[in-house]
């Protein structure tokens, strides 16, 4: 236990270890010190359960659910990745409240100079070839430790869509909107719901801008042009789907995987441009795209799986969890994150 120090009444006297205190006084003083420390830790938390946090030189915001008047733990965290020249609070404040209303937590990180190294897109982060995947891996581990979450999902718009696709192996499921990675960095089936606008003039549905330059030098960084549904077919193979069904609606053409190891859907919205619907804006012809509620419903219907940290520990016991080892390419395997403490968050692994 920490030493309790008392101040003397004499001027400029040095603090001395407290003596003459009974057990009740000692417990009371230690309880008071614990309250002061908790208040210091919560100085960046407001009454809406929003925390401003740091991971080294990078930052992110964390929205916790509120239960019985206090900020609580959460079984699910949704990581929200903003687009090029965007910011977490401007892009995701309304969305984070919808996540909170489900009893979940939302985390929204800052990109480098409002950009992410999503491969083909965009800005200074891509030019400097920053290790944004490594940053997101630390963020996922950090939010698991802070919230006790069993599942962490990723959603991103535009440049954030590229980024969440590139870091798909870190999440229990993803949803890229208006931007997607053509080279899939996934070693296991991953639930995905993809969305794109047919009228998108920033990130073309064809994958390249024939006869004109795309925004942000996307064409210059791409080594191939893959149509939106062509990328979806690659995900069908990763998720080991037998086939897919086409579902037509008034404003979208969707494809839903059949016999998949993980839910695999893609929707091309016929009247949507480069935008997304956060349910806080009035509906219009250019915003007939996915709502945040649709994406959160997809995540809620995604069954829980063993976290890669648990898979690693099972393998050490001689038990393999997940796809057969021969189907995983060791060159693409992501090293499991290092535990920061000596206990598990959530249920312990089965014996």
């Amino acid at each position: 236990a920490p030493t309790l120090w008392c101040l003397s009444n004499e001027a400029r006297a040095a603090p001395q270890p407290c003596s003459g205190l009974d057990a009740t006084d000692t417990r009371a003083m230690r309880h008071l010190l614990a309250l002061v420390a908790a208040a210091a830790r919560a100085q960046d938390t407001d009454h809406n359960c929003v925390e401003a946090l740091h991971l080294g030189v990078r930052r992110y915001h964390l929205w916790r659910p509120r239960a019985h008047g206090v900020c609580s733990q959460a079984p699910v965290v949704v990581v929200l990745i903003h687009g090029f020249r965007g910011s977490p609070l401007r892009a995701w404040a309304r969305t984070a409240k919808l996540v909170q209303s489900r009893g979940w937590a939302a985390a929204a990180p800052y990109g480098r100079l409002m950009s992410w190294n999503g491969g083909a897109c965009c800005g200074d982060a891509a030019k400097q070839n920053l290790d944004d995947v490594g940053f997101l891996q630390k963020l996922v581990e950090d939010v698991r430790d802070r919230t006790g979450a069993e599942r962490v999902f990723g959603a991103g718009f535009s440049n954030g869509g590229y980024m969440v696709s590139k870091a798909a192996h870190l999440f229990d499921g993803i949803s890229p909107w208006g931007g997607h990675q053509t080279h899939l960095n996934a070693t296991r089936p991953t639930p995905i719901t993809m969305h794109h606008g047919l009228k998108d003039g920033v990130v073309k549905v064809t994958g390249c801008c024939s006869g004109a330059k795309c925004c942000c030098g996307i064409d210059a960084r791409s080594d191939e042009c893959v149509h939106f549904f062509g990328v979806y077919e690659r995900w069908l193979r990763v998720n080991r789907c037998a086939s897919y069904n086409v579902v037509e609606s008034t404003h979208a053409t969707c494809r839903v995987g059949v016999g998949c190891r993980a839910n695999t859907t893609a929707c091309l919205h016929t009247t949507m441009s480069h935008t997304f619907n956060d349910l806080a804006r009035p509906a219009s012809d250019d915003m007939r795209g996915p709502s945040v509620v649709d994406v959160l419903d997809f995540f809620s219907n995604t069954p829980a799986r063993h976290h890669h940290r648990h898979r690693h520990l099972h393998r050490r016991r001689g038990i393999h969890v997940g796809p057969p080892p021969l189907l995983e390419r060791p060159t693409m395997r992501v090293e499991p994150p290092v535990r920061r403490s000596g206990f598990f968050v959530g249920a312990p692994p089965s014996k």
Side-chain angles (χ1 to χ4, degrees):
T3 302
L4 301 179
W5 298 87
C6 293
L7 296 177
S8 172
N9 291 329
E10 299 180 5
R12 290 181 291 186
Q16 300 293 328
C18 295
S19 59
L21 297 179
D22 59 21
T24 302
D25 293 335
T26 302
R27 286 195 299 269
M29 291 188 67
R30 286 176 177 156
H31 179 65
L32 178 60
L33 291 174
L35 291 177
V36 172
R41 288 194 300 269
Q43 63 182 349
D44 288 332
T45 306
D46 64 15
H47 66 282
N48 291 320
C49 295
V50 184
E51 299 174 78
L53 302 169
H54 288 78
L55 279 177
V57 297
R58 306 293 291 269
R59 297 184 297 152
Y60 75 96
H61 292 284
L62 178 64
W63 287 261
R64 294 175 180 268
R66 192 173 183 86
H68 307 293
V70 297
C71 304
S72 65
Q73 302 286 83
V76 174
V77 176
V78 181
V79 177
L80 303 168
I81 305 179
H82 63 76
F84 184 43
R85 296 172 184 158
S87 66
L89 293 179
R90 185 172 61 186
W92 301 118
R94 299 186 187 97
T95 301
K97 292 180 181 179
L98 292 172
V99 175
Q100 283 179 306
S101 68
R102 294 182 176 236
W104 298 355
Y110 284 84
R112 168 68 176 170
L113 296 177
M114 299 184 176
S115 65
W116 297 95
N117 181 16
C121 175
C122 294
D124 289 321
K127 292 178 182 177
Q128 298 175 24
N129 196 27
L130 295 183
D131 183 18
D132 280 333
V133 173
F135 165 59
L136 290 180
Q137 184 170 4
K138 294 179 182 178
L139 184 144
V140 168
E141 189 67 17
D142 195 54
V143 296
R144 284 188 190 273
D145 290 341
R146 290 179 182 274
T147 64
E150 284 295 324
R151 293 182 292 169
V152 179
F153 298 103
F157 171 67
S158 190
N159 187 193
Y162 282 92
M163 191 66 242
V164 77
S165 298
K166 186 177 180 180
H169 56 286
L170 303 178
F171 300 103
D172 295 279
I174 63 170
S175 179
W177 315 334
H180 43 265
Q181 190 68 238
T182 57
H183 299 283
L184 308 187
N185 186 17
T187 61
R188 56 170 173 77
T190 302
I192 181 172
T193 175
M194 303 169 58
H195 297 275
H196 208 91
L198 185 62
K199 295 184 177 181
D200 194 330
V202 178
V203 181
K204 298 290 188 179
V205 69
T206 57
C208 286
C209 301
S210 56
K213 290 189 65 176
C214 284
C215 166
C216 324
I218 295 174
D219 269 347
R221 298 191 185 99
S222 300
D223 56 1
E224 61 178 342
C225 298
V226 183
H227 191 277
F228 172 70
F229 281 130
V231 176
Y232 173 71
E233 290 176 358
R234 295 183 177 185
W235 275 107
L236 289 175
R237 292 192 290 271
V238 169
N239 290 342
R240 302 170 197 172
C241 301
S243 61
Y244 63 86
N245 291 329
V246 178
V247 180
E248 297 281 356
S249 63
T250 305
H251 296 284
T253 298
C254 297
R255 297 186 181 183
V256 181
V258 176
C260 304
R261 291 283 299 272
N263 294 339
T264 311
T265 66
C267 291
L268 182 60
H269 303 271
T270 55
T271 60
M272 190 176 81
S273 60
H274 194 67
T275 186
F276 70 96
N277 186 355
D278 62 0
L279 295 186
R281 304 170 183 167
S284 63
D285 289 339
D286 65 344
M287 293 186 67
R288 294 302 181 104
S291 70
V292 172
V293 168
D294 295 331
V295 174
L296 297 183
D297 286 343
F298 178 87
F299 290 156
S300 66
N301 293 326
T302 300
R305 67 175 182 85
H306 283 282
H307 183 236
H308 51 186
R309 173 165 42 186
H310 295 169
R311 284 180 57 186
H312 174 68
L313 292 170
H314 284 316
R315 285 175 180 169
R316 290 175 59 183
R317 296 182 175 92
I319 304 172
H320 184 84
V321 178
L326 293 178
L327 297 180
E328 295 186 356
R329 290 178 289 183
T331 56
M332 294 182 65
R333 184 173 299 154
V334 178
E335 290 296 328
V338 178
R339 287 188 297 172
R340 296 184 177 179
S341 55
F343 58 88
F344 284 96
V345 177
S350 58
K351 296 182 180 179

